[in-house]
């Protein structure tokens, strides 16, 4: 067995394709892998660092398997020192073999590269970085269930990786809730047809949501799990009600910093919060702008939004509608627009409406740099005032970007 303090053997699997190559890793790319070339062909290799010489097992597609690190980078964290024993097996984390500051620096490079490659946007200014503790940050996670076990899926697979201990990136209460569900799986009262659960917590209360079930789950199951239909999530901006079908940010350490980085310090007369969710941005915007309209298509989140604005004693007009439909009705733009779209981004229709309306200031909060690049490329007539990378998902390739735009 090779010295595992110096390199990894990915997943402890046997060589399956018997097509072995020694390559040098060029760089990290968005998606969690390192890029290398084999006879001019691009291959993606997990659990590597740029500049390392590695031995890989090449298959028929773009993904290769790491066999051995021949020349490790001095920054590499030894396998015996990573935070989780399931790293390289579980598909949840991608970067535990790299120090956290190293991860942040590479993510900035990836963001620049995605803007240039996808959107032809060469941003030469400094990209700010907002980060927090790299472990214990998640307040929400989705788990899969099979064979009486609960855990995550292996990378690029539907195979279950059981989590028998604590997950290092999850918060203490989330890990406690996972342990409680693990115990309940051994109880005959647990519905065997449930394929997975999402767990959300404010570190006091817990909310359980069944995912992808082909039949309804009785209310007594949620009562047995002591699941809350709605959770009150405390922030420095006040409390936010989050119902079971509503979304809330998952990094418990960076919620307030994300909001402050997205909303301009100077207010104005009117503002719109697009894809508003339960009002995390809208409530604070209402303290800086005279008139705020929050647009949210989901009925659960829209009801939570109305409740949260009322509880905060701020004036927010809630529009339950698709963003593209709401914008199509507008004839003039508000002074400021904030958009926090899903991973698919704004899309062609929303970008077209924003181009027509031409608000003087905009902020886009994006969870995918590729779709951000595409959307920014379509918003002609704007300059990027600032870009900030908010690392909501340490140890993973995911990154949040706040792009502040100003009409030229």
């Amino acid at each position: 067995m090779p010295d595992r303090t110096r390199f990894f053997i990915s997943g402890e699997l046997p060589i399956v394709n018997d097509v072995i190559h020694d390559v040098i890793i060029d760089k990290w790319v968005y998606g969690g892998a390192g890029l290398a070339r084999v006879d001019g062909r691009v291959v993606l290799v997990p659990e590597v660092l740029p500049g390392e010489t590695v031995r890989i097992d090449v298959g028929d597609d773009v993904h290769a398997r790491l066999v051995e690190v021949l020349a490790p980078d001095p920054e590499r964290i030894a396998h015996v020192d990573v935070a989780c024993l399931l790293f390289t097996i579980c598909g949840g984390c991608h970067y535990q073999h790299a120090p956290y500051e190293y991860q942040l620096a590479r993510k900035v490079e990836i963001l620049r590269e995605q803007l240039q490659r996808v959107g032809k946007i060469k941003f030469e200014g400094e990209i700010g970085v907002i980060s927090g503790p790299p472990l214990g940050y998640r307040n929400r996670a989705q788990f899969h269930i099979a064979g009486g076990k609960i855990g995550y899926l292996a990378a690029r697979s539907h195979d279950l990786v059981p989590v028998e201990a604590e997950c290092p990136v999850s918060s203490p209460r989330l890990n406690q809730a996972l342990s409680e569900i693990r115990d309940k799986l051994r109880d005959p009262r647990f519905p065997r047809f449930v394929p997975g659960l999402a767990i959300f917590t404010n570190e006091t209360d817990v909310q359980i949501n069944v995912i992808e079930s082909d039949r309804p789950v009785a209310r007594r199951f949620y009562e047995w799990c002591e699941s809350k239909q709605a959770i009150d999530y405390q922030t420095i901006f006040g409390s936010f009600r989050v119902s079971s079908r509503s979304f809330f940010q998952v990094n418990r350490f960076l919620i307030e910093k994300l909001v402050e980085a997205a909303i301009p310090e100077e207010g104005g007369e009117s503002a719109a919060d697009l894809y508003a969710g339960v009002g995390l941005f809208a409530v604070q915007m209402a303290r800086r702008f005279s008139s705020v309209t929050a647009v949210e298509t989901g009925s659960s989140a829209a009801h939570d939004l109305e409740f949260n604005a009322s509880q905060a004693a701020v004036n927010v007009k809630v529009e339950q509608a698709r963003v593209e439909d709401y914008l199509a009705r507008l004839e003039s733009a508000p002074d400021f627009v904030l958009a926090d779209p899903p991973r698919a981004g704004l899309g062609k229709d929303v970008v077209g409406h924003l181009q027509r309306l031409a608000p003087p200031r905009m902020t886009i909060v994006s969870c995918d740099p590729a779709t951000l690049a595409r959307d920014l490329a379509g918003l002609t007539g704007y300059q990027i005032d600032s870009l900030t990378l908010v690392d909501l998902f340490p140890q993973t390739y995911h990154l949040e970007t706040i792009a502040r735009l100003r009409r030229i």
Side-chain angles (χ1 to χ4, degrees):
M1 172 67 71
D3 180 5
R4 290 178 65 88
T5 65
R6 295 185 61 243
F7 52 79
F8 299 114
I9 294 180
S10 179
E12 297 292 353
L13 297 174
I15 294 172
V16 293
N17 298 302
D18 200 26
V19 183
I20 304 301
H21 293 272
D22 295 348
V23 296
I24 297 175
I25 302 302
D26 180 22
K27 60 184 177 180
W28 275 358
V29 293
Y30 188 66
L35 183 146
R37 296 182 187 276
V38 174
D39 299 328
R41 166 191 167 196
V42 168
V43 293
L44 301 178
V45 187
E47 304 133 33
V48 293
L49 299 182
E52 291 184 328
T53 301
V54 301
R55 182 161 292 160
I56 60 174
D57 180 16
V58 180
D60 295 329
D61 63 4
V62 71
H63 297 282
R65 188 177 67 85
L66 177 64
V67 176
E68 184 176 346
V69 179
L70 303 174
D73 187 287
E75 297 261 29
R76 173 178 280 274
I77 296 176
H79 187 65
V80 294
D81 295 325
V82 298
C84 182
L85 293 176
L86 296 180
F87 180 61
T88 77
I89 303 172
C90 165
C93 290
H94 313 96
Y95 294 154
Q96 287 194 22
H97 60 299
Y100 188 46
E101 292 301 320
Y102 186 101
Q103 296 180 33
L104 293 174
R106 301 294 81 74
K107 285 187 175 184
V108 169
E109 294 172 358
I110 289 170
L111 175 57
R112 286 191 193 275
E113 190 272 340
Q114 288 287 92
L115 292 175
Q116 173 71 43
R117 185 177 64 84
V118 178
K120 305 298 184 287
I121 299 167
K122 190 173 183 180
F123 182 76
E124 297 181 343
E126 180 181 356
I127 296 178
V129 175
I130 295 175
S131 62
L135 298 173
Y137 63 85
R138 289 197 71 112
N139 59 30
R140 183 193 298 266
Q142 183 171 303
F143 300 94
H144 298 266
I145 298 172
K149 301 286 187 178
I150 185 169
Y152 299 110
L153 296 182
R156 300 186 306 279
S157 169
H158 293 291
D159 294 337
L160 182 74
V161 178
V163 178
E164 304 291 355
E166 292 189 347
C167 172
V169 300
S170 295
S171 74
R173 187 64 184 91
L174 183 54
N175 273 314
Q176 180 185 340
L178 174 60
S179 177
E180 293 164 356
I181 293 295
R182 194 184 298 121
D183 290 340
K184 283 180 166 56
L185 281 170
R186 295 190 286 267
D187 192 301
R189 288 176 292 176
F190 194 95
R192 301 303 163 192
F193 59 85
V194 169
L197 298 170
I199 305 176
F200 175 53
T201 179
N202 59 5
E203 292 308 294
T204 301
D205 299 318
V206 169
Q207 187 179 91
I208 305 291
N209 290 305
V210 173
I211 55 174
E212 301 176 359
S213 177
D214 59 0
R215 67 183 86 171
V217 177
R219 181 181 297 274
R220 62 178 177 272
F221 170 75
Y222 298 100
E223 295 172 348
W224 179 46
C225 293
E226 300 182 19
S227 173
K228 300 289 185 180
Q229 178 65 24
I231 281 181
D232 290 324
Y233 205 101
Q234 295 292 329
T235 74
I236 63 172
F237 309 125
S239 177
F240 290 85
R241 186 182 76 182
V242 185
S243 296
S244 59
R245 297 185 180 274
S246 301
F247 170 78
F248 201 71
Q249 296 294 339
V250 303
N251 189 313
R252 65 192 181 108
F253 299 124
L254 296 181
I255 291 170
E256 292 90 350
K257 291 181 179 180
L258 176 72
V259 173
E260 286 295 346
I263 301 174
E265 297 76 10
E266 68 281 5
E269 285 299 315
S270 58
D273 180 9
L274 310 181
Y275 314 94
V278 301
L280 181 62
F281 295 106
V283 166
Q284 190 66 355
M285 288 165 62
R287 297 183 174 118
R288 300 182 187 179
F289 290 85
S290 301
S291 171
V292 172
T293 300
V295 185
E296 169 56 44
T297 185
S299 60
S300 174
H303 292 151
D304 286 342
L305 200 163
E306 291 177 335
F307 177 89
N308 294 330
S310 175
Q311 181 174 249
V314 296
N315 184 25
V316 176
K317 180 183 179 183
V318 178
E319 289 271 357
Q320 186 182 342
R322 296 195 313 159
V323 167
E324 49 268 49
D325 295 337
Y326 167 75
L327 293 177
R329 299 196 301 266
L330 291 188
E331 296 181 358
S332 60
D335 298 332
F336 170 68
V337 170
L338 183 145
D340 182 13
R343 191 168 300 279
L346 299 175
K348 184 177 179 181
D349 290 345
V350 172
V351 168
H353 288 306
L354 292 173
Q355 276 285 97
R356 172 180 61 85
L357 294 166
R361 291 180 292 165
M362 284 197 294
T363 292
I364 300 176
V365 182
S366 170
C367 60
D368 188 308
T371 57
L372 172 64
R374 180 205 64 198
D375 292 338
L376 290 177
L379 290 168
T380 58
Y382 285 89
Q383 69 177 22
I384 301 175
D385 272 358
S386 67
L387 285 177
T388 304
L389 187 155
V390 186
D391 196 33
L392 295 184
F393 304 94
Q395 316 302 335
T396 81
Y397 72 84
H398 300 288
L399 58 93
E400 201 89 357
T401 307
I402 296 174
R404 287 195 180 191
L405 312 177
R406 185 176 299 274
R407 188 77 181 173
I408 300 173

